[in-house]
Amino acid sequence: MNHLPPPAEELRLLDAELRQLDARRDQLLARRAWLVATLQQARQQPQQAWAQARTQPPPVAWSRPDAAAPSVQNVLLVLGGVLLTLAAAVFTLVSWGHMGITGRALVLGAVTLAALAGPALLLKRGLRSTAESVAGLGLALTVLDAYALREAALAGTDGTGYAAAAAAVLAVIWSAYGLLPATAALRLPLPSALVAGQFPLLLWALSADAGPYVISAALLVTAGLDTVVALRVRTGSVRITAMVGAYSTGSLGVLTAGWLSLAADTPSAAARAGALLLLAATIAVGAAWRGAGSLSGSDSGSGSDSCTAPGSASSTAAPWQGPGEKHALGLAIVSGLLAVGAFGGTARPWLPEMWTVPAYLVCGIVLSAAVRAGRLPDAVRLGSAWASGAVQALALLWALPVVAVVVLGPAGWIGRVWSGAPSDARAAVTVEAPWPPDAAAVPVVLLAVAAVVALVSRAEQWRSRARIGALGLVWATALTLPAVTGIPYVAGMVVLGVVTAAALYAGRATVSAARLTALLLSLTTSVSLALASLASQTATLVVLSVLTALFASASWRTSLASVTAPAALVYAAALASATGAAVDWPPARTALLVLAVPVAAALLAPRLGAQRATVPVEAAGAAAGLLAVGLAVTDPPLLALVLASCGVIAAGTALRPDRRPVGYAATALFVLAAWVRLAAWEVGTPEAYTLPVTVPALLVGALRRRRDPQVSSWTAYGPGLAATLLPSLVAAWGDPHWTRPLLLGTAALLVTLLGARHRLQAPLVLGGSVLALVTLHELAPYVVQVTGALPRWAPPALAGLLLLALGATYEQRIRDVRRVREVLGRMN
């Protein structure tokens, strides 16, 4: 209620609420009046309503029809047409030989003419569905007529050739029948004619025993004709049938031509296959161009298609405007890929095998340049650009195995450290991985794609990404070039070092994405270089030294320090380890060299300009410290020294105000160092291990209570006291001598007195408990002696007396216990 609306606004809200309440009240009053009237009427005629309910029959629940009348009609008509067609087929195939030539001709001719003439009469009467069924019967009878004609008069002809001619004749007859004015309203003849038109060329090629080139050409020509029909005709059923036919026959033709192009081993065979692919590309680009032009014409309101199917429902309807924008784009992409396949496949037999992929890549690049130079619709231009990009992506995918071998192959030297320098750069990366075939062309492919990416992307929003991609491709080229050319091992190392330095220099870019990419490339190259240098001792030391100096010098830039500074520390740790191994030091002594890395990290972390670089640097230093501990674990004295040194480094870090919690780690390291040293001296006294923990813990607790007097004594002193008192108590109970119990009892007494003096609960309870248990342990033999000297009934009697005494003073004891609890509660 602290933020009330203005008075005018609040008044408006109240008026609106009151209007809503009035409207709701009117609704409720109307409903109440209706309910009252209904109850009064029910009271006046209860008996009459009951009698009428008993005498009237129960209402009949009418079920809703499961199928609509048009659906039932269509099912019946289709079923009738199918049955008549089957009957005609049986008559033609089975009963044909029982009649003479005249009777056969008269029967089939009369039935066919009747079936074809019937739809015209039915359409005049408005029976469209029946006319469609009868027309389907007539079309099926024409197929039977063609079969009967061959069986009767042309039995000696070739079956496949006759089928091709019959399909062509039937396609013409059905088309003419569907275009007649009397039957133009039928939907079945024209799609059926298109279906029949899919087979003449293919069957003719098969009958002529033509090769796969002619068969592919027949399929592509059929697909081209279907495309023309799909683009020119607006009738939905015809257009869909033509599109299905175009895609079906076109796909078969393209697959056949592609297989022929890849399998061609002579220039003439490759040229023929390329011509087929160019034919398919022409069909696809024509369809895309027509669709894109129709879309632009539709948008501008001009250029409408005037071609209409005869007998259409309305001649004023808008003509079909070709495929959609996405459809045109897809066709343009396919046409571009087919064109690249045609020209690249034609050039393939003339070139060595390793230049096959570059040949296709050149075709793809030329396609992109040609599209940019010509005046083409946007959909065709964009589709061709996508096709060119797809070709370049496939070329990069082909080059990827070589890049992977160059980057990951040097990891095989981990199991063969300093086994000897390889002969050349290729042997340095193929330690356990085979060299991919035809790898000589990989740098050419990478450089070509890099040039295209850098030059083609002119848009402002893509320019930075294109430059990053070009940078990555140039890096991959430089990385693979030494292994591809097989230069000497040392020269290959120099090239990788230069690539690392160049990538670090590129990391000075202002764009964050470019800077991150350059840093990642530099790290990848440096890791590959370091792994490859493991083959030789000299190479390892030199490379690790150079990498350490290189990344350390790059760390002076604040924008790079978060990546380069930890990398420099990692390579410094590797250099220290390699140096110790080179001078034949044992691992424990080498750990002393590795400790220089945590020292450097602790000194550099607060001096780095970038705040986000501090944590990575400290993490790298901590990892180097763990490495030093792992190297010294076989030598306990040196391990103690290493742990103590790590504790000193951690303590120095804890002096920084923002790293105070590191002091706990420093304490733990000092304690571990003391324990390891004691174990090395074969010290078995538990107090020697617990006192180094107790003293720092008590000092820390005292400092904390000085800063915050409200801290509980259990938090401040409990852990420190328990660290020594409890292990010593366990040892004292198993110690047969008197020295340990005496010293432990004395210490427990002092702790108890200090707790009572300063009214601290933790020292009082812990010290008193330990003192009582030590006393019980020392007096136990005497208690056992006294118990053995007493009669057997004495202990039960003493226990009974004790219970009686407790029961007699129960209330007083409760008050005493409460008073003691209150006294302890008031202690801090």
Side-chain angles (χ1 to χ4, degrees):
M1 301 302 291
N2 293 330
H3 302 283
L4 293 176
E9 179 67 17
E10 186 177 2
L11 181 60
R12 187 186 64 81
L13 294 175
L14 291 177
D15 290 340
E17 292 288 341
L18 291 174
R19 284 194 298 270
Q20 293 178 3
L21 291 175
D22 291 339
R24 181 59 178 165
R25 185 174 182 274
D26 294 339
Q27 293 176 0
L28 295 177
L29 289 175
R31 180 65 177 174
R32 181 179 181 280
W34 181 84
L35 291 174
V36 170
T38 302
L39 290 176
Q40 290 177 356
Q41 185 179 1
R43 290 174 182 174
Q44 291 175 0
Q45 300 175 350
Q47 299 298 330
Q48 181 180 356
W50 174 254
Q52 183 179 2
R54 293 187 62 183
T55 55
Q56 287 182 351
V60 179
W62 296 96
S63 59
R64 186 174 59 87
D66 292 335
S71 300
V72 176
Q73 169 192 325
N74 294 334
V75 171
L76 293 177
L77 291 175
V78 172
L79 182 59
V82 171
L83 292 178
L84 288 176
T85 304
L86 292 176
V90 172
F91 169 76
T92 304
L93 298 175
V94 178
S95 302
W96 184 258
H98 300 289
M99 301 178 64
I101 186 63
T102 305
R104 288 178 258 175
L106 290 175
V107 171
L108 270 182
V111 173
T112 302
L113 291 176
L116 293 177
L121 299 176
L122 294 172
L123 287 174
K124 290 182 180 180
R125 295 179 177 272
L127 302 176
R128 184 184 182 89
S129 299
T130 307
E132 293 284 354
S133 300
V134 176
L137 175 61
L139 298 180
L141 287 175
T142 56
V143 178
L144 295 177
D145 288 338
Y147 171 76
L149 178 62
R150 181 180 183 277
E151 291 294 327
L154 302 173
T157 59
D158 178 59
T160 307
Y162 180 79
V169 172
L170 288 176
V172 173
I173 293 174
W174 292 352
S175 298
Y177 180 72
L179 296 174
L180 291 175
T183 56
L186 295 174
R187 299 179 181 178
L188 188 59
L190 292 179
S192 301
L194 273 177
V195 173
Q198 307 301 310
F199 301 101
L201 293 178
L202 177 60
L203 293 176
W204 171 79
L206 293 176
S207 66
D209 292 332
Y213 293 94
V214 178
I215 294 175
S216 178
L219 291 171
L220 292 176
V221 170
T222 304
L225 296 176
D226 291 333
T227 303
V228 172
V229 174
L231 292 173
R232 298 296 299 175
V233 179
R234 71 173 188 175
T235 306
S237 58
V238 178
R239 186 173 71 246
I240 293 175
T241 306
M243 291 177 65
V244 172
Y247 280 116
S248 302
T249 56
S251 299
L252 292 176
V254 167
L255 290 177
T256 305
W259 174 76
L260 291 174
S261 179
L262 293 176
D265 52 358
T266 60
S268 60
R272 285 181 288 169
L276 293 174
L277 291 175
L278 275 181
L279 175 60
T282 303
I283 296 172
V285 75
W289 198 317
R290 171 73 176 180
S294 299
L295 282 174
S296 60
S298 176
D299 293 339
S300 61
S302 62
S304 60
D305 192 355
S306 61
C307 179
T308 59
S312 58
S314 175
S315 61
T316 61
W320 181 61
Q321 299 294 340
E325 184 178 356
K326 294 183 179 179
H327 197 177
L329 178 62
L331 290 173
I333 294 174
V334 172
S335 66
L337 293 176
L338 291 175
V340 171
F343 289 105
T346 303
R348 184 178 58 83
W350 299 89
L351 300 173
E353 185 178 358
M354 67 178 182
W355 296 106
T356 299
V357 174
Y360 284 102
L361 178 60
V362 169
C363 295
I365 295 174
V366 171
L367 172 66
S368 177
V371 167
R372 287 180 174 273
R375 299 181 62 183
L376 300 174
D378 292 339
V380 177
R381 182 182 293 107
L382 183 59
S384 301
W386 276 103
S388 177
V391 173
Q392 297 176 47
L394 291 174
L396 293 179
L397 188 63
W398 172 79
L400 184 60
V402 177
V403 180
V405 169
V406 172
V407 173
L408 303 177
W413 290 108
I414 295 177
R416 306 179 184 182
V417 177
W418 297 351
S419 59
S423 58
D424 53 20
R426 183 179 301 179
V429 299
T430 56
V431 184
E432 297 180 355
W435 184 247
D438 303 331
V442 169
V444 178
V445 171
L446 295 174
L447 274 181
V449 178
V452 172
V453 171
L455 297 176
V456 171
S457 298
R458 300 175 182 175
E460 185 66 29
Q461 63 271 21
W462 293 99
R463 188 173 301 169
S464 60
R465 300 180 184 178
R467 291 176 179 175
I468 293 173
L471 174 64
L473 292 173
V474 171
W475 166 82
T477 303
L479 203 64
T480 57
L481 199 59
V484 170
T485 56
I487 63 176
Y489 172 71
V490 177
M493 297 292 101
V494 172
V495 171
L496 292 180
V498 172
V499 172
T500 303
L504 280 177
Y505 182 79
R508 301 160 59 95
T510 56
V511 181
S512 59
R515 181 170 60 250
L516 179 60
T517 302
L519 290 176
L520 291 178
L521 295 181
S522 65
L523 289 177
T524 304
T525 311
S526 65
V527 171
S528 180
L529 175 61
L531 292 175
S533 68
L534 295 178
S536 171
Q537 175 179 324
T538 303
T540 301
L541 296 176
V542 172
V543 167
L544 291 178
S545 301
V546 171
L547 290 178
T548 302
L550 189 62
F551 282 95
S553 61
S555 301
W556 292 110
R557 290 189 61 87
T558 305
S559 59
L560 306 179
S562 60
V563 177
T564 56
L569 293 176
V570 170
Y571 286 125
L575 176 62
S577 302
T579 303
V583 297
D584 293 331
W585 280 6
R589 186 180 295 181
T590 304
L592 299 177
L593 288 177
V594 178
L595 281 177
V597 177
V599 173
L603 295 176
L604 291 176
R607 291 171 174 79
L608 292 174
Q611 181 64 26
R612 59 183 179 179
T614 302
V615 174
V617 167
E618 291 176 344
L626 290 177
L627 175 63
V629 172
L631 292 174
V633 74
T634 57
D635 191 341
L638 279 178
L639 177 60
L641 178 59
V642 169
L643 289 172
S645 302
C646 292
V648 172
I649 297 171
T653 303
L655 296 177
R656 292 161 48 191
D658 56 338
R659 292 293 184 268
R660 296 300 187 193
V662 182
Y664 297 105
T667 303
L669 290 171
F670 284 130
V671 171
L672 287 176
W675 286 356
V676 172
R677 174 56 65 182
L678 291 174
W681 288 337
E682 297 182 356
V683 175
T685 303
E687 288 79 9
Y689 295 90
T690 57
L691 285 176
V693 178
T694 297
V695 174
L698 293 177
L699 291 177
V700 172
L703 292 176
R704 186 172 181 182
R705 277 188 58 83
R706 286 188 61 183
R707 294 178 181 177
D708 185 8
Q710 300 300 324
V711 175
S712 172
S713 62
W714 287 102
T715 303
Y717 304 115
L721 293 174
T724 295
L725 293 178
L726 298 181
S728 298
L729 178 63
V730 174
W733 273 64
D735 192 351
H737 303 287
W738 59 271
T739 307
R740 186 188 303 277
L742 178 61
L743 295 176
L744 179 60
T746 304
L749 178 60
L750 292 176
V751 169
T752 304
L753 294 177
L754 289 174
R757 170 68 180 80
H758 297 282
R759 302 179 64 186
L760 298 175
Q761 192 178 83
L764 181 62
V765 173
L766 288 175
S769 301
V770 172
L771 179 60
L773 291 175
V774 170
T775 303
L776 178 63
H777 174 265
E778 293 301 313
L779 296 180
Y782 302 102
V783 173
V784 171
Q785 285 183 347
V786 172
T787 303
L790 293 176
R792 293 182 178 271
W793 52 266
L798 293 175
L801 291 175
L802 179 61
L803 292 175
L804 288 176
L806 289 175
T809 59
Y810 183 75
E811 185 176 1
Q812 182 64 34
R813 299 298 180 187
I814 290 178
R815 286 200 299 267
D816 294 341
V817 169
R818 289 177 178 173
R819 189 179 299 110
V820 172
R821 185 175 62 186
E822 292 175 357
V823 171
L824 292 176
R826 288 194 297 268
M827 294 182 180
N828 291 326

